[in-house]
Amino acid sequence: MQRHGNADSFVEWGALHAELDPGLTQKAKLPEKRAVRKRAQISEILSWASALLPSGGTAVDFCAGSGHVGLVLAAIRPDATIYIVEKKTQHCEIAQ
């Protein structure tokens, strides 16, 4: 299966709520150099995950950390049900 389009531009960060952008979120703001790499990582993962996720499907982001992947996937795929699972309280608080 091929991924959906160019991974670098798969996620339109400007179209999402600012708190989903790892460079803008107030709870866990990353330095800009790291945020650029994190955005690219998330875009790459989601270019594959979104292509594999059927319309109306369900995905689980295990060991979700602060939820960057699962929350962004939920934002770009409102037709699907996305669960994020994380055991560290600090990360859960950031994701919320």
Side-chain angles (χ1 to χ4, degrees), residues 7-44:
D8 290 336
S9 62
F10 182 74
V11 175
E12 295 181 39
W13 294 100
L16 300 177
H17 190 284
E19 286 294 312
L20 295 176
D21 186 325
L24 300 178
T25 180
Q26 296 304 307
K27 291 182 181 179
K29 185 175 181 178
L30 297 175
E32 186 54 29
K33 193 172 183 179
R34 175 66 182 113
V36 168
R37 290 193 319 267
K38 187 71 169 179
R39 286 183 202 106
Q41 291 169 342
I42 294 167
S43 285
E44 177 70 25

Side-chain angles (χ1 to χ4, degrees), residues 10 46 49-57 71-82:
F10 182 74
L46 294 184
S50 185
L52 294 170
L53 183 61
S55 181
L71 293 173
V72 174
L73 181 59
I76 64 173
R77 290 293 306 273
D79 62 298
T81 301
I82 313 300

Side-chain angles (χ1 to χ4, degrees), residues 53-93:
L53 183 61
S55 181
T58 300
V60 181
D61 180 5
F62 288 101
C63 302
S66 55
H68 285 120
V69 172
L71 293 173
V72 174
L73 181 59
I76 64 173
R77 290 293 306 273
D79 62 298
T81 301
I82 313 300
Y83 295 97
I84 61 172
V85 179
E86 175 57 50
K87 74 175 191 172
K88 293 183 180 177
T89 303
Q90 177 185 2
H91 290 164
C92 292
E93 290 171 357

